[in-house]
Amino acid sequence: MDITKRQMEIVQAAIKVIAQQGYEKLTTKNLANSLGVSDAAMYKHFDSKRELIHMILNYFQHISNRSIAQINAQELSPLDSISSFVLSRYDLFTADPDLAMVIFSEELFKNDHSFEGNLLTVMHIHRDEVMRYIMQGQEIGQIRTELNPLHLFRIIVGSMRLTVTQWNMSKHAFSLMEEGNSQLQTIIKLIEVAK
């Protein structure tokens, strides 16, 4: 991802403003204040609020792609690949709760439907990779073959999204990693071929 150090600082500041104050409060003035620079200095790095949001979504896509590449480089079993995918997301969001708030925000997409394309790209990458792990697991007899891979993807990722949303809404009242891992183990028990 081609981004300068200063742009990354602005992206992180924007994520924090959206997560803590809402999309409407993401203004050049608020960003400039949080970074201790002038309003004019902001325009050297981003032409518009839309461009900044697209950069945030591209940043998330970059993180996701890097995580998937790391999983695939390990040559794990299909179930271990699924586990690594899910747990890496919980780890990411635990480390950066503001990013979780922004990525799962409906507010962004109500304001500008052009952002949907960015997020759909990430979702399709996730779908394709997780379904590939599922189908590999079915081919080698690790995952039940009568289960539809697309439905399993939705169960795995949909339950992850719900857990992150509940964690955010509870103001992080529980351990996302512990609850997420416990939920993941339940799903694995349901889809794994009995030994």
Side-chain angles (χ1 to χ4, degrees):
M1 184 173 143
D2 190 20
I3 185 169
T4 67
K5 182 180 177 192
R6 191 55 161 168
Q7 284 176 320
M8 181 52 73
E9 290 171 356
I10 296 168
V11 163
Q12 293 291 347
I15 289 169
K16 189 170 187 168
V17 168
I18 296 168
Q20 296 178 5
Q21 300 176 44
Y23 177 78
E24 292 303 320
K25 296 291 184 182
L26 181 63
T27 64
T28 305
K29 183 176 181 177
N30 283 344
L31 274 178
N33 285 342
S34 69
L35 291 167
V37 299
S38 69
D39 291 14
M42 298 300 297
Y43 288 107
K44 292 179 185 175
H45 302 284
F46 293 98
D47 293 333
S48 66
K49 186 173 174 176
R50 283 183 80 234
E51 183 184 351
L52 179 55
I53 298 299
H54 282 292
M55 182 63 78
I56 291 170
L57 295 172
N58 288 338
Y59 166 65
F60 180 62
Q61 182 176 346
H62 172 74
I63 293 170
S64 293
N65 291 345
R66 187 178 64 211
S67 175
I68 288 168
Q70 290 170 346
I71 292 166
N72 292 342
Q74 296 178 59
E75 299 182 18
L76 302 170
S77 74
L79 279 176
D80 286 342
S81 293
I82 292 167
S83 293
S84 290
F85 175 86
V86 171
L87 295 176
S88 71
R89 295 309 177 273
Y90 288 136
D91 188 50
L92 170 66
F93 294 139
T94 298
D96 192 349
D98 289 339
L99 180 62
M101 291 284 290
V102 171
I103 294 303
F104 293 136
S105 170
E106 299 291 327
E107 186 183 11
L108 281 182
F109 308 104
K110 284 191 300 188
N111 290 297
D112 190 331
H113 294 289
S114 72
F115 303 143
E116 292 171 350
N118 288 79
L119 198 57
L120 275 174
T121 298
V122 175
M123 289 172 73
H124 290 163
I125 291 168
H126 290 178
R127 179 199 63 203
D128 294 347
E129 287 299 316
V130 173
M131 283 181 60
R132 186 171 65 79
Y133 303 147
I134 292 165
M135 290 185 286
Q136 285 174 344
Q138 290 175 326
E139 286 171 13
I140 66 170
Q142 192 180 41
I143 296 174
R144 294 170 46 196
T145 56
E146 72 274 19
L147 302 176
N148 182 309
L150 179 59
H151 296 170
L152 290 182
F153 161 75
R154 289 176 179 156
I155 289 167
I156 293 164
V157 175
S159 64
M160 180 178 64
R161 181 182 176 123
L162 176 61
T163 302
V164 172
T165 299
Q166 289 175 328
W167 177 69
N168 279 329
M169 292 180 78
S170 75
K171 305 287 188 261
H172 315 134
F174 59 89
S175 166
L176 182 59
M177 284 300 291
E178 287 178 21
E179 182 61 26
N181 188 43
S182 177
Q183 180 174 270
L184 174 64
Q185 296 313 310
T186 298
I187 293 171
I188 287 173
K189 285 177 188 174
L190 293 172
I191 69 174
E192 189 174 21
V193 172
K195 297 175 183 173

